[in-house]
Each structure stands twice: as structure tokens, then as C-alpha cells.
């Protein structure tokens, strides 16, 4: 009823109140018809917000009962929006002008608003824009609304995919690039929320084959539309979305999807000038077609193989990482990692696990997999010329006809509809650049220099400035070494490193040389290992291992504690999450109560506003009735509302305006007839005046022509007279001119001669300077060589001196060892004689004693010499080192078992401050009352002999004074030192013991 009386807005509000009411929360069949009518009204009035609210409420009602009903309503809604948009488009005459809007979601531009207010009558284009653009805005809003309603719902996946496809087609059909970017971002956010909130009800399961295929088909369609709209950045992001989805579900998609994926990758990489990954994408596409496409013909296979091989040849033959900064390398590493992942390569951060992708690797893989053999003959010949032939002079001339033939090859594959049309001509520029690089590389191997003209003839593809740019790029990336001399018109090849490259590592080289010299001058001392040191090292190893085990135990305990703490933290987080959810539910309940309260308050306020509007409407009707001329009473049926009253007032004003327009039209018609009559009457008068004016102007023109002819004759006669008057000066003029020319020629010749002399002087001075610099450099090189030779000779002398010193030290040590051996032999002989004498004394035979008296007398004098050298021998036998400090208590205990016989001789080596009793020189020796202890002589042969004291010290050692009784003998391991009494006491002990016995 409301629609029939023209109040569609009121009808829409009534249906909206019904749908959002809490009384109708269960699905019924009439509710579907209500929704159909509701969406029709929303489309007619272009109320997208009302449509969204109603569809959300209807989804809540029928999601668990009848999802197909929601699907039908949404399809009907999109169909109506499409029909309205198509109808508006068909009515518009200039579609391009009507759709010339950058953003469908933006408001009107300021200049449009100004034009609409300034101009009284709008043009046709602007009327079309105002009529067509709102419907397309509404259609775009419809797609967004439907996608938002259907997102992340497992029961509506098919409808979601269908809506996304329709939105893509809308963007493609009307070239809406801005809306396409927003649409891609919306779908991307939907998938991100799907992965973020995994605990939602009715959440789609991406591991299911049907769901995964729907999502993949949507992304593939998105990729196709992006490439068709030439939105390459969005296409690259779409490829990343497909790769991320495949990685997320961990499922290999169908070969048909992979073919589209790699086919679009080839276009994206070619546009982004990533030729290496473009070639790898072609290789993947070739392998897929060869493996899964059974209908592939030999011609199609040959065309695919030719594309793969040409794409590989188009890759630059040098590494772009050479000479790049650290930041550029890091950015290139991230970019390569992203693109390699898209082509299904793994670039690990560890060098040993990294699979490097390069041009050489790609070509070897093509040869190993037989791709080269499948290519056409022209492409094979081009490959052999580029990679295997060495023809620096004829390479370009042989490559050029091949490139001309290859550029004509191409076409659509008959058995692969997903693969785009193959055009081999796109590789021509890259192959020409590769040819130029190969010519430069091969020429640098056989030429040292070359004329620029000759190089230009060798590379006919480009001008020399383009060849120079290519050469600069190649030199920058260390592919070829060359230099262009424009002054001489030549190109020089060869390695011409700059100073920074030569001296980049001079500090490290200097440090290595100094370390080697230091090790030669002061070699490290290698201490001999001893058993005690080995035991010490072993104890240190054991201690270190023990500490390591203790540290490991502490680390294990710490890890256990960390694990327990993590478990506690996880429990705490779960408890916090539970409390948060509980608090959130309480907040939602409180929010719901507040919302109901606000709703009641809004209803009360709305009722008051309606009453106020009714009063205002009655007042407006009264004012309109009183202001009119005829004062005709207006009768209104039904309730009096402000909107109804305004409509009545507007209708009345429209009627008055129409009457006024009719009057104005009648007046305009009258004025038109009057103006037409006036013009008809004045037309013959105007023609007559025009003819009269034409005759007058003709007579005036003839008079002016005769006057001009007379003036020309007079000027000509005057000019002839002037010529005759000036002809007399012609000879003087020629002479003057000749004199001036001769003078200027002489000046020019003198100036040229001076310039040549100045140039010769400059050349000679520069030659002398070069000679001086050359001599100076020669002198500096010779001086540096001389300093180097002196340094080497000095080092050699030091090495010889060190070797001579070591040799003398070894000889001296051998001499000392020989002297010590002789001394030991003499001591053994003396001990043997002493032993024989003791045995003779013990037998007590008087005749024998008398017979041995001369022998004893002969033996006694030499005994003093060993006694003097006894400390050194004892020290050598015990292995003690010279000049070692001996404690006082050891010096006092050397002769504790011996009795004092005479006053000790003053020791000039060791200062002894102990009080000694004064002994009489003539006092008889006092016998020791203690029992005599027989001590075994030390086994000298069992100890290693070590002679460290000098011979002079052994010969000049004083006789040791006898220690007082009761002192313990010194240990046998003590070493001899000047002033020590150990050796003398030990040698005298044996003799006194034998005498007492």
C-alpha cells in the first residue's frame, strides 16, 4: 500500500523494523518473500546500509535452518543491482565519460560542485555522470556488502567464491583498478582473519579439498584479472597469496592451477626485469606441460622449449652483486628469497645448505633435461654462437639474421589454453644486449686496443653511446675490463684496477709480514715436558671435565626450572584468558542492556518528534492556505505528518511554478514573432546599403592604384641617378677592400705561427715533465728495492748470528759434559782407593800397615783436590742447579752425625752468624760417644748426570767446614752452590766413619 501511494521510504522502514524485530527470530517461508521485497526496495532507493543490516539479520535467522534461502535472497539482490547498473549504462550515451571517476567511494569533486552551481543548465555529460555513476557505486557497495556477509562461513563458501568472481569481472569490464585493489585487500583480510580466529563456529576448513580448491580458484581469477588490468604489483601480491595458501594447506594444487600460476609468473618476472626467475618460471611451465599435457603437439613443445632457452639466454652473464653495498645486498637477498620461494626454490641462510640459482646452473640444467634438444634449429644455433663459439669479429653479423628469424616465431599453443600467447620477439632486445657483451668479452681477450669505429661496426645493433652504457655496466660488475678514450677515439682492454682496489688489503698484508718476522726473530720457547707436568696437565683436564659436568648439571636444572616456569606461565595465561572471556561476556551483557535502554529512549524521543512534526505540518498547511491568492482550502487524507505536509506544499509550489513557466513561454513566443517580423522588413534595406557602399569602395581603390604607380616611377629615376653618382668610387672601394684583406691575412698567418710555436713548447714541456716523472719513479723503485735488499740482508745476518750462537752454546755444553765425565771417573778411582785403604785398616795387620804407609802417603795428597771439588761433583751427581738458595736449617743439619775435630774454616761464600766455640789448635780430637752408623754410599750411577756449574766454580770451591754434632745430613737432591757444605760433609763422612772403625 505504501508503495502504491509513492512512499517507498516508509515501506522500506516498515520492513526494516519487521526484520530487525526480536519477535521474528525463527525462519519461516513468508520471511523469504519479505526479504525479496526488502532488497527490491533497497535497490530502487539505493539504500546500501539498509540492505546490509537486513541481510545480516536474515543470516542470523536462517543460518542454522535454511541457508539456501539466504543464498537465494543474496543472488536476487545482486541480480537486481546488476540489472539497474546495466540499465543505467545502456541509457548513457558516453560510457567512458560517465565512468571517468578515479574512486567510486569518493564524494563529488570541488570543481564539479562549483560547475553545478555556476552553470544554470547542465550539460549532457554531467547529466550522464550523475545518472550512471551512482548506480555503479551502489553495485560496488553491493559486492562489498555480500562479501562481508558471506565471509568465513563454511556453508556459504560457493556463494562467496561466486560473488568474488563477479566482483572481479565488474572490475575487469569497467577498468576499475582502484576498486580491484580494494577488493584484493578485502579478500586477503578475510583469509587472515580466518587463520587468526580458529575457534569460530562454522569456520571453513582449508584442509578440505573442496574448500581449498574454491579459495585457490578465487586467487587464480584474481591473478588473471590483475595481469589483464596491468596491475603488476597487485599481481605479484596475488602470486604471493597463492603461494602462501599452498604452503598453509600443505597440498599440491592441480596441474591446471600450476600452469596458470607459472604462466602469470613469467609475465610478472619479465615486467619486473627479473630475467633469471623469468627463465626458471618458464622451465617449470615447460616441465608441467611436458608431464601432464597429453595433447601437446611437437610444434607446441618446440615453441615452449625455444621460449625457455631464449629466456635463459636473456639473463645477464654477470653477477649484479659485485660492487654492491651491504644495504643493497641485504635488499637483494630478501627480494631473491621471496622470488625463489615463489618459483619453489629454497634459499637457506646457511651457505652450505643453500641452493644457488644462477645463469650457469640454469643452462646446465636445461642441457641435462634435454630442453635444448627440443628447441628450434634457429634457437639452437643462437645458443651455440652465444655460449660455445669464439667469433669476436663475426659474432654480431651471424647473430643478426637468426634474431630476425626468431622474432617472427610465435603464436598461441593449440593444446594449452592457460598458457598466454608466446612471442619470441620480446627477447630480441635482451639478446642484442647479450651479443654486445659477448663481443666486448671476446674482443678483450685478443685485443689490447681498438678503434671506436671498428667496435661500432662489430656491434651494428646499437649506437656507440648505447654500447658505452652497456660496457659501463659490464665493467661495474667485473665482467670485462676496458676503458674508452674519446680523445684518441679508441677503446683499451685490460685489467686497470684503481688504487683503492690494489691497496684495499695492504694493512692485513703488513700485519701478516710483521707476524712472520717476529716469529723468526723471537721463536717461541718450547719447554720440555716432564712427568710431573704431564700429571699436572692430567689433573687440570680432570678438573676441567669435572667443572664442565657440574656446569652441564646446573644447565639441566636451570632448563627444568625454566620449563616448569613456562608451564606455570602458560597456566596463568590460560587463566587470564578465561577471566578475560568471562569479563567480556559480562561486558557484552551489560552492553546489551544499555542498548535496549537506549532503544527505548530513542523510541520515546521518536514519538515526541513525530508529534512535534505533526503540529508543524498543520501549521505549514495553514500558512500555505493563508498565503495563496485564491485561498483554496487544502484537504489531506490520512494522518497529518510533516513529510506529507512538505510534499503537499512542494506540489503546490510546483503547480504555481508551472503556471508561471507557461506564462513566460507564451510571452517568449510573442516576442519571437515580433523579432521575426522586424528582421523580414529590414532585410532589403540592408542589401541596398551594401551595394552602394561596394561601388564607392571600388572607385576609391582605382584612384589609390594610379597614385601608387606614379610614385614607383619617381623612386626608380632617383635610384638610377644615385647609382651613376656612386660609380666613380668603385675602384677606390676595391683597392681599400684588397688592402684590408691582405692585412688580415698577414695577421692570421702570424697568429697561426705563434699558436704552433706555443703548442710545440707545451708539447716539449709536457714531454720533459713526463721524462722527469718517469726518472723519479725509476729512482723511487730502485731505492725501494735497495731498502728491501738491505732489510733482507740484515734479516739474513741476524739469522746467521743466531745459528752461530746456538752452535757455540752446543759446543760449550759438550765440553762441559766431557769435563764432568772425567771428574766423575776420578772420583770413582779415589773412592776405590779409599775402600782398599779401609779394608787394610780393618784387617789390623801391622806388616801390611807398614807396607801400605808409602802408598797411603802417596794417596793422601791427591785426596785434597777431590775434596775441594767434591761439592761440585755431588751437585752434579744429584742433579742440583747452581746458585739456588739453601735454607739455614738445611745448612745446619748437614753433619749432625759427625763430631767436630777442628775449627771450621771461614766460609767466604755463605755468611754464618752462629756463635762457634773456640777450639784449641793443640787440643786432641774428642771421640764421639754415640754409636757409629754405617751409611751406604749414594748410588751415583742410578741418577742422571747433570753438570750445570762452570769449571771455575768447581775448582775454586773452598773446603767445607765441619758441622756441629746432631745436625741431620742434607738431602741428596740438593744442588751445589757457592758456600754450600753438603758435598764436603758427605765426602768426609765416609772417611771419618772408616777411620773410627
Amino acid at each position: 500500500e505504501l508503495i502504491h501511494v509513492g512512499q517507498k521510504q516508509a515501506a522500506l522502514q516498515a520492513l526494516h523494523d519487521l526484520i530487525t524485530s526480536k519477535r521474528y527470530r525463527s525462519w519461516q517461508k513468508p520471511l523469504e518473500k519479505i526479504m525479496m521485497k526488502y532488497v527490491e526496495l533497497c535497490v530502487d532507493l539505493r539504500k546500501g546500509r539498509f540492505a546490509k543490516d537486513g541481510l545480516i539479520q536474515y543470516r542470523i535467522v536462517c543460518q542454522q535452518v535454511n541457508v539456501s534461502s539466504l543464498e537465494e535472497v543474496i543472488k536476487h539482490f545482486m541480480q537486481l543491482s546488476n540489472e539497474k547498473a546495466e540499465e543505467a549504462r545502456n541509457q548513457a550515451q558516453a560510457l567512458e565519460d560517465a565512468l571517468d571517476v578515479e574512486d567510486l567511494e569518493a564524494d563529488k569533486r570541488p570543481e564539479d560542485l562549483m560547475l553545478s552551481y555556476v552553470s544554470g543548465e547542465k550539460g549532457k555529460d554531467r547529466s550522464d555522470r550523475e545518472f550512471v555513476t551512482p548506480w555503479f557505486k551502489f553495485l560496488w557497495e553491493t559486492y562489498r556488502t555480500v562479501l562481508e556477509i558471506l565471509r568465513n562461513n563454511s556453508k556459504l563458501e560457493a556463494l562467496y567464491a561466486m560473488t568474488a568472481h563477479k566482483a572481479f569481472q565488474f572490475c575487469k569490464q569497467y577498468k576499475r583498478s582502484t576498486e580491484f585493489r580494494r577488493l584484493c585487500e578485502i579478500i586477503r583480510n578475510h583469509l587472515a582473519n580466518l587463520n587468526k580466529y580458529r575457534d569460530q563456529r562454522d569456520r571453513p576448513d582449508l584442509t578440505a579439498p573442496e574448500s581449498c580448491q574454491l579459495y585457490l580458484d578465487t586467487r587464480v581469477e584474481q591473478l588473471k584479472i590483475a595481469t589483464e588490468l596491468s596491475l603488476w604489483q597487485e599481481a605479484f601480491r596475488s602470486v604471493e597469496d597463492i603461494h602462501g595458501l599452498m604452503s598453509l594447506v600443505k597440498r599440491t594444487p592441480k596441474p591446471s592451477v600450476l600452469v596458470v600460476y607459472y604462466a602469470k609468473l613469467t609475465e610478472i618476472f619479465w615486467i619486473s626485469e627479473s630475467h633469471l626467475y623469468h627463465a626458471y618460471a618458464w622451465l617449470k611451465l615447460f616441465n608441467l606441460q611436458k608431464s601432464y599435457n597429453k595433447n601437446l603437439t611437437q610444434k607446441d613443445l618446440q615453441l615452449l622449449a625455444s621460449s625457455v632457452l631464449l629466456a635463459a639466454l636473456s639473463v645477464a652473464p654477470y653477477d649484479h652483486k659485485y660492487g654492491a653495498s651491504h644495504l643493497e645486498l641485504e635488499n637483494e637477498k630478501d627480494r631473491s628469497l621471496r622470488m625463489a620461494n615463489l618459483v619453489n626454490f629454497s634459499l637457506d641462510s646457511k651457505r652450505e645448505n643453500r641452493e644457488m640459482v644462477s645463469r650457469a646452473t640454469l643452462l646446465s640444467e636445461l642441457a641435462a633435461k634435454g630442453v635444448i634438444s627440443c628447441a628450434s634449429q634457429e634457437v639452437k644455433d643462437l645458443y651455440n654462437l652465444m655460449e660455445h663459439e669464439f667469433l669476436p669479429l663475426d659474432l654480431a653479423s651471424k647473430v643478426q639474421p637468426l634474431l630476425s628469424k626468431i622474432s617472427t616465431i610465435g603464436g598461441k599453443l593449440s593444446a594449452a589454453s592457460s598458457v598466454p600467447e608466446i612471442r619470441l620477439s620480446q627477447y630480441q632486445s635482451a639478446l642484442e644486449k647479450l651479443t654486445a657483451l659477448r663481443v666486448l668479452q671476446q674482443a678483450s681477450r685478443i685485443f689490447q686496443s681498438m678503434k671506436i669505429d671498428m667496435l661500432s661496426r662489430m656491434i651494428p645493433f646499437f649506437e656507440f653511446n648505447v654500447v658505452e652504457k652497456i660496457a659501463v655496466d659490464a665493467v661495474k660488475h667485473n665482467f670485462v675490463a676496458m676503458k674508452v678514450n674519446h680523445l684518441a677515439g679508441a677503446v683499451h682492454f685490460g685489467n686497470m684496477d684503481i688504487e683503492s682496489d690494489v691497496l684495499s688489503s695492504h694493512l692485513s698484508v703488513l700485519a701478516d709480514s710483521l707476524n712472520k718476522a717476529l716469529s723468526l726473530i723471537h721463536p717461541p720457547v718450547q719447554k720440555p715436558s716432564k712427568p710431573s707436568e704431564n700429571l699436572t696437565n692430567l689433573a687440570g683436564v680432570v678438573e676441567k671435565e669435572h667443572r664442565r659436568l657440574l656446569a652441564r648439571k646446573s644447565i639441566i636444572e636451570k632448563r627444568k626450572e625454566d620449563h616448569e616456569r613456562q608451564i606455570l606461565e602458560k597456566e596463568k595465561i590460560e587463566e587470564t584468558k578465561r577471566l578475560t572471556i568471562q569479563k567480556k561476556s559480562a561486558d557484552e551483557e551489560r552492553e546489551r542492556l544499555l542498548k535496549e535502554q537506549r532503544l527505548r529512549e530513542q523510541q520515546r524521543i521518536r514519538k515526541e518528534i513525530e508529534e512535534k512534526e505533526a503540529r508543524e505540518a498543520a501549521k505549514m498547511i495553514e500558512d500555505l492556505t493563508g498565503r495563496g491568492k485564491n485561498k483554496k482550502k487544502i484537504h489531506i487524507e490520512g494522518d497529518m505528518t510533516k513529510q506529507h505536509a512538505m510534499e503537499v506544499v512542494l506540489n503546490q509550489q510546483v503547480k504555481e511554478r508551472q503556471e508561471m513557466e507557461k506564462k513566460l513561454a507564451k510571452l517568449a513566443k510573442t516576442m519571437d514573432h515580433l523579432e521575426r517580423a522586424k528582421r523580414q522588413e529590414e532585410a532589403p534595406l540592408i542589401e541596398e546599403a551594401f551595394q552602394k557602399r561596394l561601388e564607392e569602395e571600388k572607385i576609391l581603390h582605382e584612384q589609390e592604384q594610379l597614385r601608387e604607380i606614379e610614385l614607383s616611377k619617381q623612386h626608380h629615376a632617383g635610384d638610377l641617378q644615385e647609382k651613376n653618382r656612386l660609380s666613380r668610387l668603385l675602384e677606390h672601394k676595391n683597392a681599400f677592400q684588397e688592402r684590408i684583406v691582405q692585412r688580415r691575412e698577414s695577421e692570421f698567418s702570424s697568429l697561426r705561427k705563434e699558436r704552433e710555436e706555443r703548442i710545440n713548447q707545451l708539447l716539449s714541456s709536457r714531454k720533459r715533465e713526463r721524462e722527469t716523472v718517469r726518472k723519479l719513479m725509476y729512482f723511487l723503485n730502485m731505492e725501494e728495492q735497495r731498502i728491501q735488499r738491505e732489510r733482507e740482508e740484515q734479516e739474513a745476518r741476524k739469522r746467521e748470528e743466531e745459528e752461530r750462537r746456538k752452535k757455540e752454546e752446543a759446543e760449550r755444553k759438550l765440553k762441559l759434559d766431557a769435563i764432568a765425565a772425567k771428574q766423575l771417573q776420578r772420583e770413582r778411582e779415589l773412592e776405590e782407593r779409599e775402600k782398599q785403604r779401609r779394608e787394610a785398616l780393618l784387617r789390623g795387620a801391622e806388616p801390611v800397615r807398614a807396607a801400605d804407609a808409602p802408598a797411603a802417603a802417596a794417596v793422601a795428597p791427591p785426596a785434597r783436590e777431590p775434596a775441594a771439588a767434591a761439592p761440585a761433583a755431588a751437585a752434579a751427581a744429584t742433579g742440583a742447579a747452581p746458585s739456588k738458595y739453601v735454607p739455614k736449617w738445611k745448612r745446619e743439619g748437614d753433619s749432625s752425625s759427625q763430631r767436630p775435630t777442628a775449627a771450621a774454616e771461614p766460609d767466604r761464600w755463605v755468611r754464618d752468624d752462629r756463635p762457634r766455640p773456640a777450639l784449641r789448635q793443640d787440643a786432641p780430637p774428642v771421640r764421639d760417644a754415640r754409636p757409629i752408623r754405617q751409611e751406604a754410599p749414594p748410588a751415583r750411577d742410578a741418577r742422571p748426570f747433570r753438570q750445570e756449574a762452570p769449571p771455575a766454580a768447581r775448582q775454586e770451591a773452598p773446603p767445607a767446614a765441619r758441622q756441629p754434632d746432631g745436625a741431620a745430613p742434607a738431602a741428596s737432591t740438593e744442588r751445589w752452590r757457592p758456600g754450600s757444605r753438603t758435598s764436603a760433609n758427605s765426602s768426609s763422612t765416609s772417611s771419618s766413619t772408616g777411620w773410627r772403625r
Side-chain angles (χ1 to χ4, degrees), residues 131-301:
F131 183 72
V132 177
T133 304
W135 281 111
F136 280 95
K137 284 185 178 181
F138 181 73
L139 180 58
W140 166 245
E141 189 176 356
T142 300
Y143 287 131
R144 290 192 58 177
T145 300
V146 173
L147 289 174
E148 189 68 25
I149 291 172
L150 301 178
R151 67 184 179 92
N152 302 340
N153 195 322
S154 59
K155 299 179 180 179
L156 302 170
E157 287 177 344
L159 186 58
Y160 178 85
M162 183 192 71
T163 306
H165 282 256
K166 286 187 176 181
F168 288 143
Q169 292 300 323
F170 165 77
C171 296
K172 172 187 174 182
Q173 184 177 0
Y174 302 112
K175 304 294 188 295
R176 307 308 308 171
S177 57
T178 306
E179 284 72 26
F180 179 76
R181 292 191 186 95
R182 288 179 180 164
L183 180 61
C184 296
E185 194 64 31
I186 289 170
I187 296 176
R188 199 174 290 118
N189 290 334
H190 288 174
L191 183 60
N193 293 331
L194 178 63
N195 295 324
K196 184 177 180 181
Y197 305 106
R198 298 180 177 272
D199 54 350
Q200 289 182 349
R201 188 176 63 179
D202 296 331
R203 174 183 172 273
D205 187 10
L206 292 179
T207 58
E210 296 81 5
S211 301
C212 180
Q213 189 62 37
L214 285 174
Y215 276 89
L216 272 179
D217 292 341
T218 303
R219 266 74 183 169
V220 169
E221 184 67 21
Q222 173 182 332
L223 176 59
K224 290 180 181 179
I225 301 301
T227 54
E228 290 179 6
L229 294 176
S230 298
L231 301 175
W232 301 110
Q233 187 175 2
E234 198 62 41
F236 185 76
R237 296 185 67 187
S238 302
V239 169
E240 287 187 328
D241 292 343
I242 295 174
H243 184 267
L245 187 60
M246 290 191 294
S247 303
L248 183 65
V249 300
K250 295 180 175 59
R251 186 189 300 274
T252 303
K254 295 180 180 179
S256 58
V257 176
L258 287 177
V259 166
V260 177
Y261 176 79
Y262 285 115
K264 299 303 179 183
L265 264 184
T266 57
E267 298 181 21
I268 295 170
F269 285 148
W270 181 256
I271 293 297
S272 63
E273 296 183 357
S274 301
H275 294 169
L276 179 59
Y277 296 101
H278 169 76
Y280 269 105
W282 263 117
L283 179 59
K284 289 283 186 180
L285 185 60
F286 174 79
N287 293 332
L288 279 172
Q289 291 290 337
K290 188 176 180 181
S291 301
Y292 295 101
N293 195 348
K294 304 302 181 182
N295 300 325
L296 196 67
T297 62
Q298 187 63 30
K299 183 179 179 182
D300 295 342
L301 185 65

Side-chain angles (χ1 to χ4, degrees), residues 7 39 128 140 146 199 262 268 303 383 418 470 495 520 606 725 734 855-856 905 990:
Q7 297 189 12
V39 296
D128 289 342
W140 166 245
V146 173
D199 54 350
Y262 285 115
I268 295 170
L303 193 57
Y383 169 73
S418 301
I470 296 172
N495 191 6
L520 292 175
R606 189 184 298 113
R725 187 178 66 84
N734 293 333
E905 184 180 353
S990 60

